[in-house]
Amino acid sequence: MAAAAAGPGPGDSPEGPDAEAPERRRKAHGMLKLYYGLSEGEAAGRAPGSDPLDPTDLNGAHFDPEVYLDKLRRECPLAQLMDSETDMVRQIRALDSDMQTLVYENYNKFISATDTIRKMKNDFRKMEDEMDRLAANMAVITDFSARISATLQDRHERITKLAGVHALLRKLQFLFELPSRLTKCVELGAYGQAVRYQGRAQAVLQQYQHLPSFRAIQDDCQVITAHLAQQLRQRFREGGSGAPEQAECVELLLALGEPAEELCEEFLAHARGRLEAELRSLEAELGPSPPAPDVLEFTDRGGSGFVGGLCQVAAAYQELFAAQGPAGAEKLAAFARELGGCYFALVERRLAQEQGGSDNSLLVRALDRFHRRLRAPGALLAVAGLADAATEIVERVARERLGHHLQGLRAAFLGCLTDVRQALAAPRLAGKEGPGLAELLANVASSILSHIKASLAAVHLFTAKEVSFSNKPYFRGEFCSQGVREGLIVGFIRSLCQTAQSFCDSPGEKGGATPPALLLLLSRLCLDYETATISYILTLTDEQFLVQDQSPVTPVSTLCAEARETARRLLTHYVKVQGLVISQMLRKSVETRDWLSTLEPRNVRAVMKRVVEDTTAIDVQVGLLYEEGVRKAQSSDSSKRTFSVYSSSRQQGRYAPSYTPSAPMDTNLLSNIQKLFSERIDVFSPVEFNKVSVLTGIIKISLKTLLECVRLRTFGRFGLQQVQVDCHFLQLYLWRFVADEELVHLLLDEVVASAALRCPDPVPMEPSVVEVICERG
Amino acid sequence: MSSSTKWVKSGTSVPAPQTRACWPPATVRLAGSAALEGKGQLRFTSGRWSPHHNCTQVATANDTAVRGWDTRSMSQIYCMENAHGQLVRDLDFNPNKQYYLASCGDDCKVKFWDTRNVTQPVAALEEHSHWVWNVRYNHSHDQLVLTGSSDSRVILSNMVSISSEPFGHLVDDEDLSDQEERRPEDKSQEPPQDGVIATYEEHEDSVYAVDWSSADPWLFASLSYDGRLVINRVPRALKYHILL
């Protein structure tokens, strides 16, 4: 817009000279604008091909008003010219106002600058005067000083000389008085002072030895010094004084020039005596006669007494005999090692006495103090390896504690088992229900868990943050993973499994040493461990003891597999044991009866009722701990199943030989073919973890025994009928316990069939009569 | 002279007669008798002559114990109390090794005993799941042991470690040609292990008797309740392994 701004309107020429002033101002304004960065608008307008040399450029350096106005007049229409005139006027006004603003703003600053300059001028004038006066004074002073020094010159020399003589005389006096002074000091016991005097005089005496007077003094002094040294030595040897005094003696002796090695040895010998006395007193505490103090107190005493003493000795030694170099340091290290060894032996003995308790807190604190004490005083003890030895002792103690805790856990588990056995064996009071198996199981599980948690908490003290040795690599790594996790927890779980398994392996032939309920309980415990508890315990352990090293740890799955295996073995053993009990009953019942001459059966034999009762009891017992399990769907008339002789699932001709002895081969063939289609019974198929499977196993064993026993006897007609009645009775009641009732039917059919084969006169009873007898009995 | 024993059951503690039958079977007379002392109903359930001691030793099974008798004095030599939990069903002597015998019983186990130390069995097999009715050593190769049980199985086991040839067939060095010298090294690297060789499940019902053929040492037969007689062989690989 500025570039297209037209000049003033039609009245052009009278405004020519007027136009120059605003144009000048415009130029200035343009410069200001450029300076202040307001030139974007103009730049935009000027951008296309703006030429700095353009005479028509309002803001250019070569602006020529005539050319510009000519151009405007030629090119622009009237309206545009009017517009550009108004525009330019406006701009002129703006520029004016800008300039005024600038002046007003900076007005104050100009005024103050003027004032300041005026003041400076005044001050400088005053200063000039004073500088002149100063120069005059200095000249006067210089003059006076020169006069004074000239006057006093020679006096000054004399005084210096006299002062020197005076100092010399004082020294000589000191020397002459030295022997008497030394003697007095020795008498008074101010050995330090004496040695100092001696030191001061030594060099001078040495230099002026050739002068007889000095010689005499020196001899006297030497005698006295020898005497002093002797006294010091005596004091040192007596050793009754404490370490700092001893150190002082040694220092003085060294200053007197005694041979340092001897002093080393003596110093160490004295220190040894003192420290050994400390050790002896500590040892006295270990003895049985006085009541043994707290292990904490013991380590405190040991720490402060012995270790403190040792540190003092070490520090003093290093200070005194620093000049000895490595040989001296070696002596000290050997000394420290030896005594440290004795101390550690005592500490270990004392700690060994502590192994019995189950509370770790006191022990940990004592160990902490012990360790801290030996860690503090730096380089010497590090060289002697005492700190490492201390760490080793602590590690050993920690390991022993872990072993102790493991024993404790094992004992607790065995105690639980004993309690359970007692509870099971306790005679039931009339009217009072004994503790159920589920309750006993819960008790055992919770008590073991609480023991484990207690042990973990006790052992955790070893890794607490405040304890000084918890940062050692052993405690951070191996202790947590190998010691606690593997040794304590995994070890305990494994020993639990092994103890449980030992109930299986114990010679069960001796008879029920283990109550079967215990076997059941243990198997359920191991199963619970496998499903939940092991992972819970290990998670707890891992949380509390963050394992930081890479040593291999037993994975949870291995332990769970072991627990499951143990549970399975226990359950199998339980099945065997219970099966054995029932089998014995059945066997005795078959073997002791005279089957050939028995009477017609009127009722079911008592032993069968016993068998059913026992089976029911076992069912209840197992049901307390295990879930029901899956059963094959039963047909609706299972309890009313008619006896196999007349059932539709068998061939009619099975018992034909009793009526038509001419076709024995057919029936055998038929029965074999029957057997091909029925499943073979696996008597000891693996037992699942549910009630139905357990009961099935027990019943299978018992019925198989019955079968084998029946096959060894010979039956009369009524014997066979009695067997028939018994089997029907069993079938009525046992089917509900097993997974697949066909199993019971099959086995019982086999029993009756075998009995029939062993009978010379097989006449089976009518099924209705059989049912009546069973229902009655 | 072949000998066979008849086993007789007796229900009381009256001296149980034992009979011996020998060729020629002209006369059968009572040669000696022994009494079984003790409480309760003691019985002889099974008996076997020892093949080693010139027909002077007999072993009998009495309920749960196994006893050995000397027929010259009719006194008891050794007794293994409580050999099997419930009942001992059968015994057999090792034909090649003195003092070794095997017993089987109702605890489903087969136990091997050294009669010089009767407190503990030398080995035990627990492969069956019900009563074991028979145990038989192979007549010539005593590492092969056959057992039959009422779980309808016949199991052939290899008891090498307690047999008379625990390290396999040892041959003198001079007898070997150069080619064969290499073989003992192969064999010594893999000593044969104890274990089950094979399980025969052809029977559908309890197996009550098993025995080895006296004609061919590699054949055996088994008999089950359903009247089935099954004749089997020792697997060929094992047979050659034992022979060579």
Side-chain angles (χ1 to χ4, degrees):
Chain A
M1 91 172 154
D12 176 66
S13 40
E15 291 191 62
D18 291 322
E20 285 186 12
E23 269 153 7
R24 266 205 299 278
R25 277 209 288 272
R26 238 177 283 132
K27 227 193 298 194
H29 186 55
M31 300 279 194
L32 278 174
K33 270 200 178 170
L34 266 178
Y35 175 70
Y36 284 113
L38 290 175
S39 55
E40 294 91 21
E42 285 96 291
R46 217 188 324 146
S50 67
D51 185 3
L53 293 176
D54 192 2
T56 58
D57 185 10
L58 266 177
N59 298 324
H62 300 274
F63 179 64
D64 190 358
E66 294 300 328
V67 175
Y68 182 65
L69 287 173
D70 277 338
K71 180 169 161 243
L72 277 182
R73 254 184 267 132
R74 255 185 281 129
E75 289 173 6
C76 305
L78 179 64
Q80 204 175 354
L81 282 174
M82 301 291 293
D83 285 338
S84 51
E85 193 231 337
T86 45
D87 198 30
M88 218 175 268
V89 166
R90 193 165 29 89
Q91 279 186 26
I92 288 166
R93 286 211 193 98
L95 282 170
D96 281 342
S97 66
D98 283 345
M99 196 135 53
Q100 280 179 359
T101 320
L102 278 171
V103 169
Y104 284 142
E105 276 170 15
N106 294 320
Y107 179 70
N108 286 337
K109 293 191 186 113
F110 290 137
I111 297 296
S112 67
T114 321
D115 282 342
T116 314
I117 289 173
R118 198 180 303 128
K119 219 170 15 163
M120 275 170 65
K121 216 165 38 165
N122 282 341
D123 286 342
F124 274 126
R125 209 174 294 130
K126 271 195 272 184
M127 211 183 297
E128 219 174 295
D129 293 337
E130 284 188 15
M131 291 304 274
D132 288 338
R133 266 211 306 267
L134 181 63
N137 285 343
M138 286 307 291
V140 169
I141 289 171
T142 319
D143 200 23
F144 277 145
S145 160
R147 269 195 280 163
I148 289 172
S149 47
T151 327
L152 290 182
Q153 187 60 32
D154 51 335
R155 295 262 173 81
H156 184 66
E157 280 173 12
R158 267 195 289 164
I159 291 176
T160 323
K161 212 165 37 165
L162 283 174
V165 170
H166 179 69
L168 189 61
L169 284 174
R170 274 187 53 198
K171 278 194 202 157
L172 279 175
Q173 188 183 28
F174 173 74
L175 275 179
F176 288 135
E177 285 179 5
L178 188 61
S180 63
R181 205 175 284 194
L182 280 179
T183 330
K184 208 166 22 157
C185 283
V186 169
E187 275 166 32
L188 284 178
Y191 299 121
Q193 218 171 359
V195 173
R196 267 201 304 279
Y197 291 154
Q198 167 68 13
R200 277 202 345 228
Q202 187 65 24
V204 175
L205 285 175
Q206 201 66 23
Q207 200 178 357
Y208 292 107
Q209 260 181 335
H210 54 279
L211 292 175
S213 49
F214 283 118
R215 189 29 156 315
I217 297 176
Q218 195 185 26
D219 292 339
D220 284 339
C221 282
Q222 273 179 354
V223 165
I224 298 176
T225 314
H227 184 60
L228 167 66
Q230 211 175 12
Q231 279 210 342
L232 277 178
R233 270 188 193 274
Q234 195 153 8
R235 239 184 85 179
F236 180 58
R237 259 181 223 127
E238 273 157 23
S241 44
E245 294 188 26
Q246 292 235 333
E248 199 194 321
C249 289
V250 174
E251 203 181 321
L252 295 175
L253 280 170
L254 275 178
L256 285 178
E258 301 287 330
E261 289 195 4
E262 243 179 83
L263 286 176
C264 267
E265 300 286 325
E266 279 203 42
F267 182 71
L268 283 180
H270 277 284
R272 178 190 296 272
R274 264 206 314 278
L275 291 174
E276 276 180 0
E278 275 284 340
L279 285 177
R280 266 196 297 277
S281 79
L282 274 181
E283 193 170 348
E285 277 188 24
L286 286 180
S289 46
D294 230 342
V295 69
L296 197 57
E297 278 176 34
F298 180 84
T299 45
D300 262 345
R301 267 193 63 176
S304 53
F306 176 78
V307 180
L310 187 62
C311 296
Q312 272 179 347
V313 166
Y317 184 93
Q318 271 176 341
E319 241 180 75
L320 295 171
F321 300 108
Q324 283 297 300
E330 190 47 49
K331 257 191 266 185
L332 181 61
F335 168 77
R337 260 196 290 268
E338 198 186 321
L339 285 176
C342 300
Y343 175 59
F344 288 147
L346 283 178
V347 167
E348 282 205 55
R349 270 172 62 190
R350 180 66 183 86
L351 288 173
Q353 284 180 358
E354 271 297 308
Q355 284 310 318
S358 67
D359 180 20
N360 273 346
S361 58
L362 208 58
L363 185 63
V364 170
R365 273 166 54 203
L367 283 174
D368 180 30
R369 295 242 181 113
F370 165 70
H371 188 259
R372 220 186 269 267
R373 265 298 183 158
L374 282 166
R375 236 186 16 167
L380 162 72
L381 292 184
V383 161
L386 289 182
D388 293 339
T391 316
E392 266 174 41
I393 290 181
V394 173
E395 284 177 18
R396 261 203 295 275
V397 170
R399 277 201 199 101
E400 279 173 25
R401 289 306 293 175
L402 283 178
H404 178 76
H405 277 291
L406 183 60
Q407 292 300 102
L409 282 177
R410 281 207 191 114
F413 178 58
L414 289 174
C416 284
L417 287 183
T418 318
D419 288 340
V420 166
R421 284 172 89 145
Q422 273 181 354
L424 288 172
R428 297 269 166 85
L429 298 175
K432 192 171 103 144
E433 192 59 38
L437 274 185
E439 206 180 300
L440 286 173
L441 175 68
N443 284 347
V444 170
S446 63
S447 108
I448 294 179
L449 207 57
S450 66
H451 274 106
I452 290 180
K453 282 189 182 152
S455 296
L456 278 180
V459 170
H460 190 64
L461 288 170
F462 275 94
T463 59
K465 288 280 182 324
E466 315 71 67
V467 168
S468 62
F469 49 76
S470 64
N471 278 333
K472 294 286 170 195
Y474 169 70
F475 279 96
R476 270 196 304 190
E478 200 188 321
F479 180 74
C480 294
S481 73
Q482 292 302 318
V484 175
R485 193 180 193 280
E486 290 296 306
L488 190 58
I489 301 294
V490 172
F492 172 63
I493 292 177
R494 281 221 169 104
S495 87
L496 192 149
C497 290
Q498 269 169 4
T499 317
Q501 276 199 6
S502 70
F503 284 107
C504 298
D505 303 334
S506 65
E509 295 96 343
K510 271 198 287 225
T514 336
L518 183 64
L519 291 172
L520 197 63
L521 194 135
L522 280 175
S523 82
R524 183 76 215 187
L525 184 71
C526 288
L527 192 66
D528 286 341
Y529 264 61
E530 184 247 345
T531 44
T533 320
I534 287 181
S535 50
Y536 170 68
I537 293 175
L538 281 176
T539 319
L540 199 65
T541 313
D542 285 337
E543 271 170 27
Q544 283 193 3
F545 297 87
L546 291 172
V547 173
Q548 289 187 15
D549 73 337
Q550 305 299 320
S551 52
V553 290
T554 325
V556 177
S557 49
T558 317
L559 286 174
C560 288
E562 281 182 27
R564 197 182 180 86
E565 179 61 27
T566 311
R568 195 190 57 78
R569 284 187 65 181
L570 281 165
L571 199 59
T572 316
H573 194 64
Y574 174 77
V575 164
K576 271 195 201 163
V577 166
Q578 296 288 57
L580 180 64
V581 167
I582 299 184
S583 309
Q584 291 286 63
M585 269 197 294
L586 289 170
R587 186 206 286 253
K588 284 242 160 15
S589 76
V590 171
E591 285 174 1
T592 53
R593 199 183 170 101
D594 184 6
W595 291 100
L596 285 169
S597 55
T598 185
L599 301 170
E600 182 160 5
R602 291 270 164 239
N603 43 19
V604 180
R605 280 191 301 156
V607 69
M608 295 301 157
K609 295 187 196 162
R610 262 301 289 289
V611 165
V612 171
E613 277 167 23
D614 283 356
T615 315
T616 320
I618 293 174
D619 183 60
V620 166
Q621 194 182 54
V622 178
L624 289 174
L625 291 181
Y626 278 96
E627 304 84 40
E628 175 80 12
V630 170
R631 256 210 210 120
K632 253 207 210 162
Q634 295 126 10
S635 52
S636 57
D637 60 346
S638 41
S639 62
K640 295 275 183 252
R641 193 178 180 280
T642 52
F643 195 61
S644 61
V645 176
Y646 300 103
S647 77
S648 54
S649 66
R650 298 272 181 149
Q651 291 280 342
Q652 265 295 328
R654 169 137 186 154
Y655 291 104
S658 55
Y659 304 112
T660 56
S662 62
M665 293 293 281
D666 290 338
T667 48
N668 278 341
L669 196 58
L670 284 170
S671 69
N672 284 341
I673 292 174
Q674 283 296 324
K675 284 212 185 118
L676 282 176
F677 288 117
S678 59
E679 267 180 37
R680 201 234 304 267
I681 300 163
D682 205 6
V683 180
F684 271 160
S685 53
V687 177
E688 309 282 323
F689 291 105
N690 55 38
K691 183 178 75 154
V692 154
S693 173
V694 170
L695 263 294
T696 310
I698 293 175
I699 289 175
K700 273 197 283 195
I701 296 174
S702 330
L703 292 182
K704 186 87 180 159
T705 312
L706 181 62
L707 177 63
E708 296 296 331
C709 294
V710 157
R711 283 182 181 166
L712 288 173
R713 302 301 308 262
T714 315
F715 296 86
R717 177 198 311 183
F718 294 134
L720 170 63
Q721 288 182 355
Q722 179 70 60
V723 169
Q724 208 179 332
V725 166
D726 290 341
C727 288
H728 188 72
F729 180 76
L730 285 178
Q731 178 213 308
L732 280 180
Y733 289 100
L734 289 183
W735 68 268
R736 66 195 79 222
F737 295 123
V738 292
D740 182 10
E741 55 173 6
E742 281 299 314
L743 186 73
V744 173
H745 297 321
L746 215 61
L747 279 170
L748 288 169
D749 287 349
E750 266 303 310
V751 171
V752 177
S754 306
L757 283 174
R758 293 288 301 174
C759 183
D761 178 24
V763 175
M765 204 181 238
E766 295 288 316
S768 50
V769 180
V770 170
E771 280 176 26
V772 166
I773 296 179
C774 287
E775 268 155 40
R776 196 165 26 113
Chain B
M1 174 171 98
S2 76
S3 58
S4 66
T5 316
K6 270 209 203 137
W7 56 271
V8 188
K9 273 207 298 192
S10 154
T12 65
S13 58
V14 164
Q18 291 194 332
T19 58
R20 228 177 356 162
C22 36
W23 278 128
T27 47
V28 175
R29 57 178 179 84
L30 184 62
S33 66
L36 196 55
E37 307 294 329
K39 292 190 286 208
Q41 294 204 331
L42 299 172
R43 305 175 298 177
F44 286 94
T45 38
S46 179
R48 210 113 175 106
W49 285 100
S50 162
H52 297 288
H53 301 276
N54 205 12
C55 302
T56 53
Q57 271 194 25
V58 172
T60 60
N62 310 107
D63 266 346
T64 57
V66 175
R67 288 169 213 273
W69 302 86
D70 187 338
T71 52
R72 294 168 293 191
S73 61
M74 297 315 287
S75 62
Q76 181 182 305
I77 309 170
Y78 53 82
C79 172
M80 294 149 192
E81 287 294 336
N82 208 18
H84 294 268
Q86 296 143 51
L87 205 59
V88 180
R89 290 272 170 194
D90 196 19
L91 332 155
D92 195 18
F93 278 92
N94 187 325
N96 296 340
K97 247 182 150 176
Q98 278 195 5
Y99 307 119
Y100 275 73
L101 73 92
S103 67
C104 62
D106 283 357
D107 61 350
C108 323
K109 291 189 194 155
V110 179
K111 290 191 181 169
F112 298 86
W113 305 86
D114 184 342
T115 57
R116 296 166 291 193
N117 178 14
V118 295
T119 49
Q120 220 188 343
V122 176
L125 283 179
E126 205 172 341
E127 306 293 336
H128 284 289
S129 52
H130 206 249
W131 306 347
V132 184
W133 285 78
N134 260 156
V135 63
R136 287 284 178 271
Y137 275 101
N138 187 311
H139 303 307
S140 36
H141 304 283
D142 59 314
Q143 65 258 50
L144 299 174
V145 176
L146 200 60
T147 52
S149 148
S150 44
D151 64 359
S152 337
R153 289 198 190 92
V154 174
I155 293 187
L156 178 64
S157 313
N158 193 359
M159 300 300 294
V160 178
S161 55
I162 56 172
S163 74
S164 50
E165 284 184 342
F167 302 107
H169 190 48
L170 300 173
V171 181
D172 281 338
D173 285 334
E174 298 105 49
D175 295 348
L176 287 174
S177 68
D178 293 68
Q179 209 178 14
E180 288 172 355
E181 259 168 34
R182 272 178 263 129
R183 256 191 270 134
E185 285 121 26
D186 297 336
K187 273 217 273 190
S188 63
Q189 276 156 17
E190 9 152 321
Q193 302 285 334
D194 281 0
V196 171
I197 301 170
T199 308
Y200 300 91
E201 298 187 0
E202 285 96 7
H203 293 284
E204 298 286 335
D205 210 327
S206 312
V207 176
Y208 287 121
V210 291
D211 212 344
W212 291 95
S213 155
S214 41
D216 181 355
W218 309 103
L219 273 186
F220 57 92
S222 52
L223 181 64
S224 72
Y225 184 74
D226 49 0
R228 191 177 296 191
L229 174 73
V230 176
I231 299 183
N232 268 304
R233 270 179 200 280
V234 174
R236 196 173 293 180
L238 183 65
K239 168 177 165 186
Y240 292 140
H241 185 81
I242 292 175
L243 282 179
L244 300 171

